[in-house]
């Protein structure tokens, strides 16, 4: 069964400094990766989807995927206090498979 | 407007009572999900529905059942709530046309006392 783990559990950065979040997965045949953001007491919003090795940018959010290393990361450029939230990594083996979520990283951006 | 709506948002029930959580989506998505989210455990999949009356167990279905009689509605039912079912429940929907991106509701916080 797919295992998805995120690190760190919590991260505090200053406004404007790059924030980097990590996600490792266990099934190397996975080909469908998404990063979601969850503000307190709210639902999840998708930030960026990536399906092949390399990087994918969506505004200030960039995902890097290295399937050989079973690793996908999210980098947030110029984070703002409004980016303070829980960030969830989600991995799917293929289009029809279940989505498995990591436990999340709580990001705090200090003004 | 693409939206997944959950009702109620907050609910307190006594142990043994029945619970009905409702979810609606306006995107005609075929596939809908129920997850629960607990601290340290992330999101755990309870049930998937691939379309009307086409439901499958997820990873933690015990103690839950679901109903999907219309494509736009997916209900989660707890027939006799237990204290360990205190959680935040999220509904999501997706379709192939959305690139399999899941769209989530805002969650339903259930407390069982």
């Amino acid at each position: 069964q797919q295992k998805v783990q995120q690190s760190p559990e919590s991260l505090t950065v200053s406004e404007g400094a790059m924030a980097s979040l990590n996600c490792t997965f266990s099934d190397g045949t996975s080909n469908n990766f998404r990063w979601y953001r969850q503000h307190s007491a709210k639902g999840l919003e998708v930030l960026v989807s990536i399906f092949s090795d390399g990087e994918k940018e969506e505004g200030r959010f960039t995902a890097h995927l290295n399937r050989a290393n079973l690793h996908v990361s999210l980098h947030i450029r110029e984070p703002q206090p409004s980016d303070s939230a829980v960030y969830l990594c989600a991995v799917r083996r293929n289009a029809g498979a279940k989505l498995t979520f990591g436990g999340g990283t709580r990001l705090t951006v200090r003004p | 407007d693409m939206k997944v709506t959950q009702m109620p948002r907050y609910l307190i029930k006594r142990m043994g009572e029945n619970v009905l959580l409702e979810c609606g989506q306006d995107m005609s998505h075929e596939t809908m999900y129920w997850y629960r989210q607990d601290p340290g455990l992330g999101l755990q999949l309870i049930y998937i529905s691939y379309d009307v009356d086409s439901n499958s167990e997820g990873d933690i279905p015990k103690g839950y059942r679901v109903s999907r009689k219309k494509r736009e509605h997916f209900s989660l039912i707890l027939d006799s709530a237990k204290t360990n079912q205190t959680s935040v429940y999220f509904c999501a929907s997706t379709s192939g046309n959305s690139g399999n991106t899941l769209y989530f509701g805002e969650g339903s916080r259930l407390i069982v006392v």
Side-chain angles (χ1 to χ4, degrees):
Chain A
Q1 189 174 355
Q2 175 89 264
K3 288 192 186 334
V4 179
Q5 293 188 305
Q6 291 185 238
S7 63
E9 283 189 13
S10 64
L11 176 66
T12 299
V13 299
S14 298
E15 186 174 1
M18 177 80 80
S20 296
L21 290 65
N22 298 297
C23 175
T24 59
F25 51 94
S26 60
D27 187 340
T29 65
S30 301
N31 61 7
N32 197 313
F33 305 85
R34 286 183 171 85
W35 282 96
Y36 286 86
R37 177 169 67 183
Q38 184 181 25
H39 284 110
S40 181
K42 296 276 190 187
L44 282 70
E45 60 172 316
V46 61
L47 297 173
V48 60
S49 305
I50 186 165
F51 308 111
S52 57
D53 286 343
E55 81 174 40
K56 174 82 176 294
E57 183 178 311
E58 295 282 358
R60 294 182 297 108
F61 302 96
T62 302
H64 287 263
L65 174 61
N66 184 329
R67 279 190 290 177
N69 288 346
L70 303 175
H71 183 257
V72 59
S73 59
L74 177 70
H75 304 275
I76 307 172
R77 183 168 40 87
E78 298 175 3
Q80 300 150 12
S82 58
D83 291 322
S84 296
V86 174
Y87 288 78
L88 293 161
C89 168
V91 181
R92 195 199 297 260
R93 191 158 43 83
N94 53 52
K98 291 184 297 190
L99 200 59
T100 303
F101 285 85
T105 292
R106 180 173 296 280
L107 175 67
T108 303
V109 182
R110 281 204 289 242
Chain B
D1 196 22
M2 300 194 298
K3 200 168 169 61
V4 177
T5 305
Q6 291 184 231
M7 292 288 288
R9 295 290 315 280
Y10 302 96
L11 189 60
I12 300 176
K13 285 286 194 177
R14 295 187 188 282
M15 199 165 59
E17 289 186 328
N18 299 336
V19 178
L20 173 64
L21 302 181
E22 307 215 66
C23 175
Q25 47 98 359
D26 60 2
M27 298 167 277
S28 293
H29 284 170
E30 315 87 51
T31 308
M32 296 185 74
Y33 306 78
W34 275 106
Y35 289 88
R36 62 179 283 178
Q37 185 177 36
D38 302 287
L41 295 176
L43 280 154
Q44 299 176 88
L45 179 64
I46 306 171
Y47 266 95
I48 306 173
S49 174
Y50 295 104
D51 212 325
V52 171
D53 283 331
S54 179
N55 307 319
S56 287
E57 293 180 347
D59 297 321
I60 52 161
K62 189 176 176 184
Y64 303 94
R65 63 181 172 95
V66 291
S67 174
R68 185 125 179 250
K69 297 300 181 187
K70 293 183 180 180
R71 179 174 276 193
E72 59 269 23
H73 289 130
F74 189 33
S75 301
L76 181 69
I77 301 137
L78 291 66
D79 285 316
S80 178
K82 299 174 181 51
T83 54
N84 62 8
Q85 292 178 308
T86 292
S87 187
V88 181
Y89 291 86
F90 285 95
C91 173
S93 72
T94 189
S95 83
N97 295 332
S98 72
N100 296 118
T101 297
L102 266 66
Y103 293 86
F104 282 84
E106 296 202 327
S108 296
R109 182 176 292 277
L110 170 67
I111 298 173
V112 182
V113 298

